[in-house]
Amino acid sequence: MNPLSRFAISTALILAWPVAHAAEGQKIFTQGGANPAAMACLGCHGPDAKGIAAAGFPRLAGLSAGYLNKQLQDFRSGSRKQPVMEPLAKALSAQEAKAVSEYLASLPSAPASDLRRQQIATDPVSRLALYGDWDRQIPGCVQCHGPGGSGVGEHFPPLAGQPAAYLVAQLNAWRDGSRSNDPNQLMVGVAKAMTDAEITAVAEFFAHPLAQEVKP
Amino acid sequence: MKPIIATLLLAMGSAQAATPIAMEDQSQLKVPGTQAAVQFAPPAESQIPDNAFGQMVREGHALFVDTRRLMPEAVGNGMNCSNCHLDQGRMAFSAPLWGAYPMYPAYRRKNDKVNTFAERIQGCFQFSMNGKPPAADSPQMTALSVYSYWLSTNAPTAVEAPGRGYPEVPQPKGGYDFKRGKQVYREQCAICHGDQGEGQQVAGEYVMPPLWGKDSYNWGAGMHRINTAASFIKYNMPLGKPGSLSDQQAWDVAAWINRHERPQDPRLLEGSVEKTRLKFHANDGVNLYGQKVDGMVIGQGTTR
């Protein structure tokens, strides 16, 4: 890049930052980053970034930019280990990671089911999801992940709309230590306290909420 | 700006003086500590009978965990009962309903009165929920009492159960420190409760409740006492990691939270924070109401 084009880019950034930024994010999503190892995201995360359930590739659309960018950093630093995403995240520049995160956050996603805590949960799976099991220091998933697993703010990602296989993989990653990037260790204790059967069942619960099944 | 706020406060004060105060004395319970093992276990949800009584249990439960949405006329902030009585009012050391119900009616020497269970709940509506308590014979109050009664199934009456209330956390020798409290807050609490104690919402409803400001508990609530907040925090927070803070950290962060403004004490006397302090706060545990901190008198209240 010659000095002139660098100057042109920075001027363009200052003048039309949001537009330029969004365009850059979209380009990384559809075509990949400057480094060829940073492959286009849509290939695995789906053309609308809603994930590919059959493959267990996660949804990225509508997740908070702060959370997405942090995950890309965590793949780079090794606090989240995964053979596909690790080299890919390393091939993205910090600037590219930020731009693509902001673009992904702006994409539409299906709203989470309006599953509220006022239901008395008699079956053990909804009980775990809504109220937790305090004998094992597990708060309800929705207390941190929001009603129906909608996600809350910057730090608590949605569980709704994620493939069940992906949710299971993450919970197991905390259990075996390959994922250790949760702020203040808020998630690791929860994952370690759960049984295999609970992990499978609760992943299904959020991946396929009843409210979505009865939709016409 | 100042005079307007003062007049508003006066106006609010006189308007609120008209609403009767359900349970004037909100002073702290003396409860057994954590040495005594918790023996009582409330019944499982699957044991709710399938009849009119069971229906009422379910209704009381719904009101307890989703109070603000289901009873907007009675709740004046962003809170639900279950925000301070964790695990749907079941958790030991989180002032569980099964620890409370069998202990009423209760005599309080302080104001020489007997308070019923309904009045105790009305107290939480008025102060913790900054609202207008439903009448003692209202369907909502009945449902909340039925839920509490059901949770207390097999509990002995008038016997203080280990696990009741929030166990006392003795005040550290060196007292408390706002600066350290602010640091604990930033490192361990802000991720959920927000940088400004404002809580976090999804679709207009709080998921993480606010800790100060207009949507929090008011200056008359038990939680405004630093000692009570320290007790709650030590045994219930950070969510999912109860017991992880030291006594000192619990006191420091409780003091930091309770040095921030929140809705006015509904018992406000003649619009005067000082008179209210003398009557209701001077002998009520450790609290900052009406005291000067960094040159400002605390307890001015927030306006909606």
Side-chain angles (χ1 to χ4, degrees):
Chain A
M1 202 187 281
N2 64 43
L4 192 66
S5 73
R6 187 166 295 171
F7 172 76
I9 288 173
S10 53
T11 323
L13 285 179
I14 289 161
L15 291 181
W17 169 255
V19 181
H21 207 54
E24 190 195 354
Q26 181 169 24
K27 182 153 179 262
I28 298 164
F29 178 70
T30 52
Q31 297 167 32
N35 180 335
M39 291 180 283
C41 325
L42 94 176
C44 295
H45 292 284
D48 49 8
K50 287 186 177 158
I52 298 178
F57 295 162
R59 146 197 175 196
L60 304 177
L63 271 63
S64 84
Y67 172 80
L68 290 167
N69 195 28
K70 172 178 169 297
Q71 301 310 309
L72 292 170
Q73 281 173 24
D74 294 343
F75 284 126
R76 279 206 290 267
S77 75
S79 60
R80 185 171 174 182
K81 296 192 184 64
Q82 204 273 339
V84 178
M85 274 310 293
E86 220 173 294
L88 221 144
K90 281 185 177 146
L92 287 170
S93 71
Q95 162 66 32
E96 285 174 325
K98 193 160 179 286
V100 75
S101 297
E102 277 163 23
Y103 171 71
L104 291 165
S106 73
L107 295 180
S109 57
S113 74
D114 190 34
L115 190 62
R116 301 230 166 230
R117 298 183 75 212
Q118 58 173 273
Q119 283 96 337
I120 272 204
T122 36
D123 72 292
V125 179
S126 0
R127 194 177 196 290
L128 191 63
L130 298 180
Y131 298 111
D133 183 350
W134 284 96
D135 290 340
R136 290 179 281 164
Q137 309 283 40
I138 307 180
C141 314
V142 302
Q143 288 192 273
C144 287
H145 290 283
S150 59
V152 182
E154 281 282 285
H155 304 288
F156 301 95
L159 304 179
Q162 288 294 15
Y166 173 73
L167 298 176
V168 170
Q170 298 315 302
L171 291 164
N172 284 329
W174 267 298
R175 299 211 296 178
D176 68 24
S178 55
R179 185 167 180 180
S180 57
N181 64 336
D182 46 333
N184 291 355
Q185 301 187 302
L186 288 171
M187 204 36 231
V188 62
V190 172
K192 286 198 167 149
M194 293 169 79
T195 66
D196 289 338
E198 282 171 339
I199 286 181
T200 316
V202 94
E204 282 296 326
F205 179 93
F206 284 109
H208 307 289
L210 290 174
Q212 286 180 11
E213 276 170 15
V214 293
K215 246 190 223 155
Chain B
M1 191 65 195
K2 274 255 171 63
I4 299 177
I5 291 177
T7 349
L8 258 174
L9 274 176
L10 269 175
M12 275 176 55
S14 48
Q16 276 170 347
T19 26
I21 301 294
M23 188 170 150
E24 205 175 65
D25 174 20
Q26 288 287 306
S27 61
Q28 193 170 15
L29 291 171
K30 286 268 168 277
V31 294
T34 51
Q35 326 68 271
V38 178
Q39 272 148 15
F40 182 79
E45 285 87 351
S46 53
Q47 289 168 25
I48 299 176
D50 194 9
N51 56 22
F53 177 83
Q55 188 50 39
M56 196 67 110
V57 172
R58 288 173 195 279
E59 276 167 30
H61 168 269
L63 296 177
F64 194 79
V65 299
D66 214 1
T67 328
R68 212 213 65 81
R69 245 164 39 100
L70 299 177
M71 302 177 71
E73 70 292 347
V75 179
N77 59 16
M79 312 284 295
N80 297 314
C81 307
S82 53
N83 291 156
C84 301
H85 302 283
L86 264 63
D87 193 16
Q88 324 163 65
R90 290 171 162 270
M91 197 152 98
F93 308 127
S94 193
L97 293 172
W98 51 260
Y101 189 85
M103 297 305 288
Y104 291 83
Y107 172 72
R108 295 223 168 189
R109 193 195 304 227
K110 199 163 163 183
N111 50 2
D112 197 31
K113 270 194 185 137
V114 173
N115 287 121
T116 62
F117 187 71
E119 282 171 324
R120 185 65 195 84
I121 290 186
Q122 287 177 324
C124 268
F125 270 109
Q126 203 142 30
F127 300 103
S128 298
M129 315 289 285
N130 191 37
K132 293 198 182 60
D137 60 356
S138 62
Q140 291 102 326
M141 199 60 90
T142 306
L144 284 166
S145 301
V146 168
Y147 177 53
S148 310
Y149 170 79
W150 175 74
L151 283 177
S152 313
T153 303
N154 289 333
T157 302
V159 178
E160 194 142 67
R164 183 188 182 196
Y166 309 114
E168 190 181 335
V169 175
Q171 179 162 12
K173 279 212 185 65
Y176 52 79
D177 181 83
F178 294 131
K179 237 169 87 195
R180 283 195 311 251
K182 183 179 180 179
Q183 194 185 343
V184 173
Y185 186 82
R186 221 177 325 145
E187 289 169 1
Q188 306 229 31
C189 322
I191 186 173
C192 293
H193 292 288
D195 290 338
Q196 299 302 321
E198 73 278 19
Q200 295 196 63
Q201 302 188 338
V202 170
E205 292 292 335
Y206 284 101
V207 177
M208 312 285 184
L211 300 185
W212 62 85
K214 64 179 175 47
D215 279 343
S216 182
Y217 53 88
N218 69 34
W219 277 116
M223 199 65 88
H224 98 286
R225 288 186 300 263
I226 296 172
N227 51 312
T228 300
S231 298
F232 170 85
I233 291 165
K234 168 102 184 180
Y235 291 100
N236 294 279
M237 290 290 139
L239 190 77
K241 293 194 283 184
S244 62
L245 299 181
S246 67
D247 292 2
Q248 183 71 61
Q249 287 176 311
W251 271 80
D252 289 344
V253 75
W256 172 249
I257 290 169
N258 282 330
R259 74 157 306 230
H260 289 88
E261 282 303 335
R262 50 189 68 263
Q264 185 53 268
D265 187 338
R267 299 167 299 188
L268 187 71
L269 277 178
E270 300 162 34
S272 161
V273 169
E274 179 56 16
K275 285 183 185 165
T276 313
R277 180 185 79 77
L278 285 171
K279 174 136 194 234
F280 293 110
H281 297 260
N283 292 312
D284 187 14
V286 182
N287 73 80
L288 296 168
Y289 185 85
Q291 303 201 18
K292 253 195 185 150
V293 176
D294 294 340
M296 292 277 285
V297 175
I298 305 242
Q300 301 300 323
T302 50
T303 40
R304 283 232 128 230

